[in-house]
Amino acid sequence: MTEDSSAPGPGNQSTTRKRIVVRRNGPYEPDPGIPIVDHLGVPVTAEAPVRLCRCGQSQSKPFCDDSHITRGFVDAKDPRRVPDKLDVYAGQQAFVFDNRGTCAHSAFCTDRLNAVFHLGEEPFIAPSGARLDDLVNAVRRCPSGALGIGIGPVRDTNLSDINRPPQIEISRDGPYRVTGHVELVDEDGVPIAQNAGASREHVSLCRCGASLNKPFCSGMHWSVAFRDPLPDPLREPTLFEWAGGYPALLDMTRIFYSRYVPEDPLLGPLFAEMSPDHPERVAAWLSEVFGGPRFYTERYGGYRRMVSQHIGKEIRPEQRALWATYMVQSADDAGLPSDPEFRAAFVAYIEWGSRIAVENSGPSATPPPNMPVPRWWWVCNATPGARPSAVADDTQMTSDAGPALPGPGEAVAFEQHICSGRWTATRCCSPSTSGRKTTSSGTIAGSWPASRPAPCLATAHGRPSAWRCSRGGRRR
């Protein structure tokens, strides 16, 4: 729950100015050393020199396979593009700046702060409709850099942008989202001109090949139905993947620590000494716990590091309850999935983990050393697709029809009439069970699939307690 964040992390690393070369009618060529991640924040392995597709036709996306040559790709700006015009909206607390000609239509602003950003209405922005911190967060989350903010009638770079290391995110079915003050240059080394008021810290670059404002994204990936390859539909997603990965969890933790903690009299003092990258640390921990990469272990030190931050804090039950309540509210605010299956697993961990933190923070607590980072999973087989939805369309309902009934005089067969290969690996004998066999009694034999972690095992005796036992019970 708490951490002083003094250990070095990605936000503390010094960086030099990196560049992306935009080849004429060709690919993007980023400098070596710019990390490339997918939409979940998972690093993408790439061999140097990296060439990123921008014609949208490569068969090895996101990398270029020279399809731009055979397709005759042209990167000229389209005269039909939205004009380059900076609009200024004055509010009680700040001025908000917007250039519709830069917008990539990711809808982060209209989805998350619709009291200020009015989809399909004029004026588009009503700056007095939210608190200043919410305005700043909305501006910083704009991936295209179309938005800006200032206390006066001039865009304030310190308010509008975040100081972060260079990175290229391959968004799902959308543009490359570039952050970290990466310089865009043409093949002659000349800086690429940007629209008025555009951020120099973060931009969205076209990946579908259809933008009207190349090399920047204009939102045309929606119109041309640009799609990345679909994942295996039989593979059960992790909670990390279902949540939206590290970016979604980071959005949630930033909301939690900027919106709810500072104004709460019980939580404020508990987190008063946290460093600016504390939300990143908590998002990395949750990513690892929910089945994602070992972000926390590799960046900050693993379970031992996390537990050390709770020792001696003496977190009170009422502080824990508020922490859990606000974290769930922040998940709503950040737009994390609201389906019953995900929320059952998410809330279960928030409750379990926060209670462990209280236990480890007690005056006489001696947390067990060298424990692994917990790996959380779906609760009681409540996975996506494990039940018919009450709001599913006709196609989904039809495809989820029950197993075939035996005909007259036909013997009942387990796989054909009972399981029929539809259920998930945690419920029956689907093809995704990684070699598990069904016995004649209907039980499943064999080891747990190596491709997924074992169940959470968060039982009363599933872990050593931080409290010493006395006369067979836990000392309170």
Side-chain angles (χ1 to χ4, degrees):
M1 286 174 60
T2 69
E3 183 174 332
D4 64 19
S5 304
S6 59
N12 305 113
Q13 301 170 359
S14 60
T15 60
T16 57
R17 190 78 183 270
K18 297 289 187 178
R19 304 193 315 169
I20 295 177
V21 176
V22 183
R23 289 292 174 187
R24 185 175 296 110
N25 300 329
Y28 303 110
E29 296 181 356
D31 280 351
I34 302 180
I36 302 174
V37 301
D38 64 15
H39 69 282
L40 298 173
V42 178
V44 174
T45 303
E47 295 183 1
V50 175
R51 300 165 71 236
L52 296 175
C53 171
R54 69 174 179 128
C55 72
Q57 302 300 319
S58 173
Q59 298 304 302
S60 57
K61 296 181 184 70
F63 305 110
C64 173
D65 65 359
D66 291 330
S67 291
H68 59 280
I69 299 175
T70 57
R71 302 278 180 154
F73 173 72
V74 176
D75 62 4
K77 292 184 183 293
D78 195 302
R80 298 171 297 167
R81 67 185 183 277
V82 178
D84 175 11
K85 179 179 180 294
L86 183 64
D87 296 315
V88 182
Y89 299 86
Q92 292 182 348
Q93 306 172 86
F95 290 78
V96 175
F97 307 86
D98 173 57
N99 193 324
R100 294 290 82 201
T102 303
C103 181
H105 301 280
S106 296
F108 288 3
C109 58
T110 52
D111 286 352
R112 308 289 172 81
L113 201 60
N114 54 23
V116 172
F117 300 95
H118 303 151
L119 181 63
E121 299 180 11
E122 291 295 339
F124 173 55
I125 299 177
S128 299
R131 305 183 323 184
L132 179 60
D133 59 329
D134 287 335
L135 289 174
V136 170
N137 288 335
V139 167
R140 291 178 172 181
R141 276 192 52 76
C142 172
S144 69
L147 296 176
I149 191 170
I151 300 301
V154 177
R155 185 184 189 276
D156 187 330
T157 300
N158 292 327
L159 280 179
S160 304
D161 299 328
I162 305 173
N163 186 22
R164 48 191 164 179
Q167 178 178 279
I168 300 173
E169 176 193 329
I170 308 163
S171 67
R172 176 185 285 176
D173 303 330
Y176 299 107
R177 292 171 179 160
V178 183
T179 55
H181 294 281
V182 176
E183 185 179 14
L184 303 176
V185 299
D186 64 20
E187 54 193 33
D188 298 320
V190 178
I192 301 292
Q194 291 182 255
N195 285 345
S199 172
R200 268 47 177 182
E201 192 277 333
H202 53 278
V203 297
S204 292
L205 298 179
C206 173
R207 190 162 72 94
C208 70
S211 173
L212 305 180
N213 188 37
K214 300 181 186 73
F216 306 103
C217 173
S218 69
M220 284 297 291
H221 53 279
W222 298 107
S223 300
V224 300
F226 178 72
R227 294 288 184 270
D228 285 311
L230 295 174
D232 182 1
L234 296 180
R235 178 182 170 276
E236 189 173 280
T238 64
L239 294 172
F240 168 78
E241 294 166 336
W242 195 258
Y246 177 78
L249 294 170
L250 178 57
D251 188 23
M252 177 189 71
T253 56
R254 281 177 172 164
I255 289 172
F256 175 84
Y257 287 106
S258 66
R259 181 178 298 172
Y260 296 110
V261 168
E263 62 184 23
D264 190 276
L266 289 178
L267 291 184
L270 189 62
F271 294 97
E273 298 181 4
M274 69 178 177
S275 72
D277 73 337
H278 188 76
E280 284 81 357
R281 292 169 179 266
V282 177
W285 173 264
L286 292 175
S287 294
E288 187 167 344
V289 167
F290 288 156
R294 300 173 72 244
F295 286 158
Y296 190 88
T297 296
E298 293 172 356
R299 297 173 183 176
Y300 308 114
Y303 185 84
R304 179 189 293 271
R305 168 71 186 178
M306 173 60 77
V307 170
S308 70
Q309 304 311 301
H310 298 143
I311 294 176
K313 289 291 196 301
E314 298 189 27
I315 303 170
R316 304 199 303 274
E318 59 269 27
Q319 290 174 312
R320 184 215 67 82
L322 280 171
W323 187 91
T325 298
Y326 288 144
M327 191 61 76
V328 172
Q329 181 60 52
S330 298
D332 292 340
D333 297 342
L336 264 65
S338 60
D339 57 280
E341 290 76 18
F342 174 76
R343 287 308 176 100
F346 176 79
V347 173
Y349 175 74
I350 294 299
E351 285 289 324
W352 184 83
S354 61
R355 291 173 189 275
I356 299 299
V358 171
E359 179 181 286
N360 290 339
S361 73
S364 302
T366 55
N370 304 320
M371 294 289 288
V373 173
R375 300 287 274 186
W376 215 250
W377 204 255
W378 302 98
V379 174
C380 298
N381 301 338
T383 61
R387 64 180 177 87
S389 172
V391 295
D393 57 32
D394 293 339
T395 302
Q396 292 173 308
M397 295 298 288
T398 300
S399 64
D400 198 42
L405 297 176
E410 182 182 2
V412 176
F414 183 86
E415 292 191 4
Q416 181 178 354
H417 300 128
I418 299 175
C419 175
S420 72
R422 294 189 306 108
W423 292 5
T424 64
T426 56
R427 295 188 61 184
C428 196
C429 57
S430 84
S432 62
T433 53
S434 303
R436 297 160 76 201
K437 302 298 183 182
T438 306
T439 67
S440 58
S441 63
T443 60
I444 297 178
S447 61
W448 194 261
S451 61
R452 61 171 281 188
C456 303
L457 302 180
T459 62
H461 303 288
R463 63 177 181 88
S465 171
W467 295 87
R468 297 176 181 175
C469 293
S470 174
R471 297 182 180 179
R474 287 168 57 179
R475 188 171 65 188
R476 295 295 181 183

